[in-house]
CSV table of all heavy atoms in Angstrom, one decimal:
chain,number,residue,atom,x,y,z
A,1235,SER,N,2.8,127.6,-3.2
A,1235,SER,CA,1.5,128.1,-3.7
A,1235,SER,C,0.3,127.6,-2.9
A,1235,SER,O,0.2,126.4,-2.6
A,1235,SER,CB,1.3,127.7,-5.2
A,1235,SER,OG,0.1,128.3,-5.7
A,1236,SER,N,-0.6,128.5,-2.6
A,1236,SER,CA,-1.8,128.2,-1.8
A,1236,SER,C,-1.6,127.9,-0.4
A,1236,SER,O,-2.6,127.7,0.4
A,1236,SER,CB,-2.6,127.1,-2.5
A,1236,SER,OG,-3.0,127.4,-3.8
A,1237,ASP,N,-0.4,127.9,0.1
A,1237,ASP,CA,-0.2,127.8,1.6
A,1237,ASP,C,-0.6,129.1,2.3
A,1237,ASP,O,-0.8,130.1,1.7
A,1237,ASP,CB,1.3,127.5,1.9
A,1237,ASP,CG,1.7,126.1,1.4
A,1237,ASP,OD1,0.9,125.3,1.0
A,1237,ASP,OD2,3.0,125.8,1.5
A,1238,VAL,N,-0.6,129.0,3.6
A,1238,VAL,CA,-0.8,130.2,4.4
A,1238,VAL,C,0.2,130.2,5.5
A,1238,VAL,O,0.4,129.2,6.2
A,1238,VAL,CB,-2.3,130.3,5.0
A,1238,VAL,CG1,-2.6,129.2,5.8
A,1238,VAL,CG2,-2.4,131.6,5.8
A,1239,VAL,N,0.9,131.3,5.6
A,1239,VAL,CA,1.9,131.5,6.7
A,1239,VAL,C,1.2,132.3,7.8
A,1239,VAL,O,0.8,133.5,7.5
A,1239,VAL,CB,3.2,132.2,6.3
A,1239,VAL,CG1,4.1,132.5,7.4
A,1239,VAL,CG2,3.9,131.4,5.2
A,1240,LEU,N,1.0,131.7,9.0
A,1240,LEU,CA,0.3,132.4,10.1
A,1240,LEU,C,1.3,132.8,11.1
A,1240,LEU,O,1.9,131.9,11.8
A,1240,LEU,CB,-0.8,131.5,10.7
A,1240,LEU,CG,-1.9,131.2,9.7
A,1240,LEU,CD1,-2.9,130.2,10.4
A,1240,LEU,CD2,-2.6,132.4,9.2
A,1241,ILE,N,1.6,134.1,11.3
A,1241,ILE,CA,2.5,134.6,12.2
A,1241,ILE,C,1.8,135.2,13.4
A,1241,ILE,O,1.1,136.2,13.3
A,1241,ILE,CB,3.4,135.7,11.6
A,1241,ILE,CG1,4.1,135.2,10.3
A,1241,ILE,CG2,4.5,136.2,12.6
A,1241,ILE,CD1,4.7,136.4,9.5
A,1242,THR,N,1.8,134.5,14.6
A,1242,THR,CA,0.9,134.8,15.6
A,1242,THR,C,1.6,135.3,16.9
A,1242,THR,O,2.8,135.0,17.1
A,1242,THR,CB,0.0,133.6,16.0
A,1242,THR,OG1,0.9,132.5,16.3
A,1242,THR,CG2,-0.8,133.2,14.8
A,1243,GLY,N,0.9,135.9,17.8
A,1243,GLY,CA,1.4,136.2,19.1
A,1243,GLY,C,1.6,137.7,19.4
A,1243,GLY,O,1.5,138.2,20.6
A,1244,LYS,N,1.9,138.5,18.3
A,1244,LYS,CA,2.3,139.9,18.6
A,1244,LYS,C,1.3,140.8,18.0
A,1244,LYS,O,1.0,141.9,18.5
A,1244,LYS,CB,3.7,140.2,18.2
A,1244,LYS,CG,4.7,139.4,19.0
A,1244,LYS,CD,6.1,140.0,18.9
A,1244,LYS,CE,6.2,141.4,19.6
A,1244,LYS,NZ,5.9,141.4,21.0
A,1245,GLY,N,0.8,140.5,16.8
A,1245,GLY,CA,-0.2,141.5,16.2
A,1245,GLY,C,0.5,142.8,15.9
A,1245,GLY,O,1.5,142.8,15.2
A,1246,THR,N,0.0,143.8,16.5
A,1246,THR,CA,0.6,145.2,16.4
A,1246,THR,C,1.6,145.5,17.5
A,1246,THR,O,2.0,146.7,17.5
A,1246,THR,CB,-0.5,146.2,16.3
A,1246,THR,OG1,-1.3,146.2,17.5
A,1246,THR,CG2,-1.3,146.1,15.0
A,1247,ASP,N,1.9,144.6,18.4
A,1247,ASP,CA,2.8,144.9,19.5
A,1247,ASP,C,4.1,145.5,18.9
A,1247,ASP,O,4.7,145.0,18.0
A,1247,ASP,CB,3.2,143.6,20.2
A,1247,ASP,CG,2.2,143.3,21.4
A,1247,ASP,OD1,1.2,144.1,21.5
A,1247,ASP,OD2,2.5,142.4,22.1
A,1248,PRO,N,4.5,146.7,19.4
A,1248,PRO,CA,5.6,147.5,18.8
A,1248,PRO,C,6.9,147.1,19.3
A,1248,PRO,O,7.9,147.6,18.8
A,1248,PRO,CB,5.2,148.9,19.3
A,1248,PRO,CG,4.6,148.7,20.6
A,1248,PRO,CD,3.8,147.5,20.5
A,1249,TYR,N,7.0,146.2,20.3
A,1249,TYR,CA,8.3,145.8,20.9
A,1249,TYR,C,8.4,144.3,21.2
A,1249,TYR,O,7.4,143.7,21.5
A,1249,TYR,CB,8.7,146.6,22.2
A,1249,TYR,CG,8.5,148.1,22.1
A,1249,TYR,CD1,7.5,148.8,22.6
A,1249,TYR,CD2,9.5,148.8,21.4
A,1249,TYR,CE1,7.3,150.1,22.6
A,1249,TYR,CE2,9.4,150.2,21.3
A,1249,TYR,CZ,8.3,150.9,21.9
A,1249,TYR,OH,8.2,152.2,21.8
A,1250,ILE,N,9.6,143.8,21.1
A,1250,ILE,CA,9.9,142.5,21.8
A,1250,ILE,C,10.5,142.9,23.1
A,1250,ILE,O,11.5,143.5,23.3
A,1250,ILE,CB,10.9,141.7,21.0
A,1250,ILE,CG1,10.2,141.2,19.7
A,1250,ILE,CG2,11.3,140.4,21.8
A,1250,ILE,CD1,11.1,140.4,18.8
A,1251,MET,N,9.8,142.4,24.2
A,1251,MET,CA,10.2,142.8,25.6
A,1251,MET,C,11.3,141.8,26.1
A,1251,MET,O,11.0,140.6,26.1
A,1251,MET,CB,9.0,142.8,26.5
A,1251,MET,CG,7.9,143.8,26.0
A,1251,MET,SD,8.5,145.5,25.7
A,1251,MET,CE,8.8,146.0,27.4
A,1252,GLY,N,12.4,142.3,26.5
A,1252,GLY,CA,13.5,141.4,27.0
A,1252,GLY,C,13.7,141.7,28.5
A,1252,GLY,O,13.0,142.3,29.2
A,1253,PRO,N,14.9,141.1,29.0
A,1253,PRO,CA,15.2,141.2,30.4
A,1253,PRO,C,15.5,142.6,30.9
A,1253,PRO,O,15.9,143.5,30.1
A,1253,PRO,CB,16.4,140.3,30.6
A,1253,PRO,CG,17.0,140.3,29.2
A,1253,PRO,CD,15.9,140.4,28.2
A,1254,ASN,N,15.2,142.8,32.2
A,1254,ASN,CA,15.5,144.1,32.9
A,1254,ASN,C,14.9,145.4,32.2
A,1254,ASN,O,15.5,146.4,32.1
A,1254,ASN,CB,17.1,144.3,32.9
A,1254,ASN,CG,17.7,143.1,33.7
A,1254,ASN,OD1,17.2,142.7,34.8
A,1254,ASN,ND2,18.8,142.6,33.1
A,1255,GLY,N,13.7,145.1,31.6
A,1255,GLY,CA,13.0,146.3,31.0
A,1255,GLY,C,13.5,146.7,29.6
A,1255,GLY,O,13.1,147.7,29.1
A,1256,THR,N,14.4,145.9,29.0
A,1256,THR,CA,14.9,146.2,27.7
A,1256,THR,C,13.8,145.8,26.7
A,1256,THR,O,12.9,145.0,26.9
A,1256,THR,CB,16.2,145.4,27.3
A,1256,THR,OG1,15.9,144.0,27.4
A,1256,THR,CG2,17.3,145.8,28.3
A,1257,LYS,N,13.8,146.5,25.5
A,1257,LYS,CA,12.9,146.3,24.5
A,1257,LYS,C,13.5,146.6,23.1
A,1257,LYS,O,14.3,147.5,23.0
A,1257,LYS,CB,11.6,147.1,24.7
A,1257,LYS,CG,11.8,148.6,24.7
A,1257,LYS,CD,10.5,149.3,25.1
A,1257,LYS,CE,10.7,150.8,25.2
A,1257,LYS,NZ,9.4,151.5,25.6
A,1258,GLU,N,13.0,145.8,22.1
A,1258,GLU,CA,13.5,145.9,20.8
A,1258,GLU,C,12.3,146.3,19.9
A,1258,GLU,O,11.3,145.7,19.9
A,1258,GLU,CB,14.1,144.6,20.3
A,1258,GLU,CG,14.5,144.6,18.8
A,1258,GLU,CD,14.8,143.2,18.3
A,1258,GLU,OE1,14.8,142.2,19.1
A,1258,GLU,OE2,15.1,143.0,17.1
A,1259,ALA,N,12.5,147.4,19.2
A,1259,ALA,CA,11.4,147.9,18.3
A,1259,ALA,C,11.1,146.8,17.3
A,1259,ALA,O,12.0,146.1,16.7
A,1259,ALA,CB,11.8,149.2,17.6
A,1260,TRP,N,9.8,146.5,17.1
A,1260,TRP,CA,9.4,145.4,16.3
A,1260,TRP,C,8.0,145.5,15.6
A,1260,TRP,O,7.2,146.3,16.1
A,1260,TRP,CB,9.3,144.1,17.2
A,1260,TRP,CG,9.1,142.9,16.4
A,1260,TRP,CD1,8.0,142.2,16.2
A,1260,TRP,CD2,10.2,142.2,15.7
A,1260,TRP,NE1,8.3,141.1,15.4
A,1260,TRP,CE2,9.6,141.1,15.1
A,1260,TRP,CE3,11.6,142.4,15.6
A,1260,TRP,CZ2,10.3,140.2,14.3
A,1260,TRP,CZ3,12.3,141.5,14.9
A,1260,TRP,CH2,11.7,140.4,14.2
A,1261,SER,N,7.9,144.9,14.5
A,1261,SER,CA,6.6,144.8,13.8
A,1261,SER,C,6.7,143.5,13.0
A,1261,SER,O,7.4,143.3,12.0
A,1261,SER,CB,6.4,146.0,12.9
A,1261,SER,OG,5.3,145.7,11.9
A,1262,ASP,N,5.8,142.6,13.3
A,1262,ASP,CA,5.7,141.3,12.5
A,1262,ASP,C,5.3,141.6,11.1
A,1262,ASP,O,5.9,141.0,10.1
A,1262,ASP,CB,4.6,140.4,13.1
A,1262,ASP,CG,5.2,139.5,14.2
A,1262,ASP,OD1,6.4,139.4,14.4
A,1262,ASP,OD2,4.4,138.8,14.9
A,1263,ARG,N,4.4,142.5,10.9
A,1263,ARG,CA,4.0,142.9,9.5
A,1263,ARG,C,5.2,143.4,8.7
A,1263,ARG,O,5.4,143.1,7.6
A,1263,ARG,CB,2.9,143.9,9.5
A,1263,ARG,CG,2.4,144.3,8.1
A,1263,ARG,CD,1.2,145.2,8.2
A,1263,ARG,NE,1.5,146.5,8.7
A,1263,ARG,CZ,1.8,147.6,8.0
A,1263,ARG,NH1,1.7,147.5,6.7
A,1263,ARG,NH2,2.0,148.7,8.5
A,1264,ARG,N,5.9,144.4,9.3
A,1264,ARG,CA,7.0,145.0,8.7
A,1264,ARG,C,8.1,144.0,8.3
A,1264,ARG,O,8.6,144.0,7.2
A,1264,ARG,CB,7.6,146.1,9.6
A,1264,ARG,CG,8.9,146.8,9.1
A,1264,ARG,CD,8.7,147.5,7.8
A,1264,ARG,NE,7.6,148.4,7.8
A,1264,ARG,CZ,7.1,149.1,6.8
A,1264,ARG,NH1,7.6,148.8,5.6
A,1264,ARG,NH2,6.1,149.9,6.9
A,1265,VAL,N,8.4,143.1,9.2
A,1265,VAL,CA,9.5,142.1,9.0
A,1265,VAL,C,9.0,141.2,7.9
A,1265,VAL,O,9.8,140.8,7.0
A,1265,VAL,CB,9.8,141.3,10.3
A,1265,VAL,CG1,10.6,140.1,10.0
A,1265,VAL,CG2,10.5,142.3,11.3
A,1266,ALA,N,7.8,140.8,7.9
A,1266,ALA,CA,7.3,139.9,6.8
A,1266,ALA,C,7.4,140.6,5.5
A,1266,ALA,O,7.8,140.0,4.5
A,1266,ALA,CB,5.8,139.5,7.1
A,1267,GLN,N,7.0,141.9,5.4
A,1267,GLN,CA,7.1,142.7,4.2
A,1267,GLN,C,8.6,142.7,3.7
A,1267,GLN,O,8.9,142.5,2.5
A,1267,GLN,CB,6.6,144.1,4.4
A,1267,GLN,CG,5.1,144.2,4.6
A,1267,GLN,CD,4.7,145.6,4.9
A,1267,GLN,OE1,5.3,146.3,5.6
A,1267,GLN,NE2,3.5,146.0,4.4
A,1268,GLU,N,9.5,143.0,4.6
A,1268,GLU,CA,10.9,143.1,4.3
A,1268,GLU,C,11.5,141.8,3.7
A,1268,GLU,O,12.2,141.7,2.7
A,1268,GLU,CB,11.7,143.6,5.5
A,1268,GLU,CG,11.4,145.0,5.8
A,1268,GLU,CD,12.0,145.5,7.2
A,1268,GLU,OE1,12.6,144.6,7.9
A,1268,GLU,OE2,11.9,146.7,7.5
A,1269,GLU,N,11.1,140.7,4.4
A,1269,GLU,CA,11.6,139.4,4.0
A,1269,GLU,C,11.0,138.9,2.7
A,1269,GLU,O,11.6,138.2,1.9
A,1269,GLU,CB,11.4,138.4,5.1
A,1269,GLU,CG,12.2,138.6,6.4
A,1269,GLU,CD,13.7,138.8,6.1
A,1269,GLU,OE1,14.2,138.0,5.2
A,1269,GLU,OE2,14.3,139.6,6.8
A,1270,LEU,N,9.7,139.2,2.5
A,1270,LEU,CA,9.1,138.9,1.2
A,1270,LEU,C,9.8,139.7,0.1
A,1270,LEU,O,10.1,139.1,-1.0
A,1270,LEU,CB,7.6,139.3,1.2
A,1270,LEU,CG,6.7,138.3,1.9
A,1270,LEU,CD1,5.3,138.9,2.1
A,1270,LEU,CD2,6.6,137.0,1.1
A,1271,ALA,N,10.1,141.0,0.3
A,1271,ALA,CA,10.8,141.8,-0.7
A,1271,ALA,C,12.2,141.2,-1.0
A,1271,ALA,O,12.6,141.2,-2.2
A,1271,ALA,CB,10.9,143.2,-0.2
A,1272,LYS,N,12.9,140.7,0.0
A,1272,LYS,CA,14.2,140.1,-0.2
A,1272,LYS,C,14.1,138.8,-1.1
A,1272,LYS,O,15.0,138.4,-1.8
A,1272,LYS,CB,14.8,139.8,1.1
A,1272,LYS,CG,15.3,140.9,2.0
A,1272,LYS,CD,15.8,140.5,3.3
A,1272,LYS,CE,16.2,141.7,4.2
A,1272,LYS,NZ,16.7,141.2,5.5
A,1273,LEU,N,12.9,138.2,-1.0
A,1273,LEU,CA,12.7,137.0,-1.8
A,1273,LEU,C,12.3,137.3,-3.3
A,1273,LEU,O,12.1,136.4,-4.1
A,1273,LEU,CB,11.6,136.1,-1.2
A,1273,LEU,CG,12.0,135.4,0.2
A,1273,LEU,CD1,10.8,134.7,0.8
A,1273,LEU,CD2,13.1,134.4,-0.1
A,1274,GLY,N,12.2,138.6,-3.5
A,1274,GLY,CA,11.9,139.1,-4.9
A,1274,GLY,C,10.5,139.4,-5.2
A,1274,GLY,O,10.1,139.7,-6.3
A,1275,PHE,N,9.6,139.4,-4.2
A,1275,PHE,CA,8.2,139.6,-4.4
A,1275,PHE,C,7.9,141.2,-4.2
A,1275,PHE,O,8.5,141.8,-3.5
A,1275,PHE,CB,7.3,138.9,-3.4
A,1275,PHE,CG,7.4,137.4,-3.5
A,1275,PHE,CD1,8.0,136.6,-2.5
A,1275,PHE,CD2,7.0,136.7,-4.7
A,1275,PHE,CE1,8.1,135.3,-2.6
A,1275,PHE,CE2,7.2,135.3,-4.8
A,1275,PHE,CZ,7.7,134.6,-3.7
A,1276,LYS,N,6.9,141.6,-5.0
A,1276,LYS,CA,6.4,143.0,-4.8
A,1276,LYS,C,5.5,143.0,-3.7
A,1276,LYS,O,4.6,142.1,-3.6
A,1276,LYS,CB,5.7,143.5,-6.1
A,1276,LYS,CG,6.7,143.6,-7.3
A,1276,LYS,CD,5.9,144.1,-8.5
A,1276,LYS,CE,6.9,144.3,-9.7
A,1276,LYS,NZ,6.1,144.8,-10.9
A,1277,VAL,N,5.7,143.9,-2.8
A,1277,VAL,CA,4.9,144.0,-1.5
A,1277,VAL,C,4.2,145.3,-1.4
A,1277,VAL,O,4.8,146.3,-1.4
A,1277,VAL,CB,5.8,143.7,-0.3
A,1277,VAL,CG1,5.0,143.6,1.0
A,1277,VAL,CG2,6.6,142.4,-0.5
A,1278,GLU,N,2.9,145.2,-1.2
A,1278,GLU,CA,2.1,146.4,-1.0
A,1278,GLU,C,2.4,147.1,0.3
A,1278,GLU,O,2.5,146.4,1.4
A,1278,GLU,CB,0.6,146.1,-1.1
A,1278,GLU,CG,-0.3,147.3,-0.9
A,1278,GLU,CD,-1.8,146.9,-1.1
A,1278,GLU,OE1,-2.1,146.3,-2.1
A,1278,GLU,OE2,-2.5,147.2,-0.1
């Protein structure tokens, strides 16, 4: 309670860029929403 989780570095960047031009679709916000929901919280 009252903590703050600061997830930095990507913002709205849509991919994690890997070797040889590979990329993984990504969203820090979306992942945080999904993991909060798995913890039982209602997420806007």
Side-chain angles (χ1 to χ4, degrees):
S1235 180
S1236 299
D1237 289 354
V1238 59
V1239 176
L1240 297 178
I1241 305 167
T1242 58
K1244 294 201 66 63
T1246 55
D1247 270 4
Y1249 307 108
I1250 291 178
M1251 304 302 293
N1254 302 313
T1256 59
K1257 57 187 179 181
E1258 174 189 358
W1260 190 262
S1261 165
D1262 274 350
R1263 180 175 71 96
R1264 173 63 54 190
V1265 169
Q1267 289 175 323
E1268 291 170 352
E1269 294 304 324
L1270 283 169
K1272 290 177 185 177
L1273 291 172
F1275 299 115
K1276 294 181 180 179
V1277 184
E1278 185 177 303

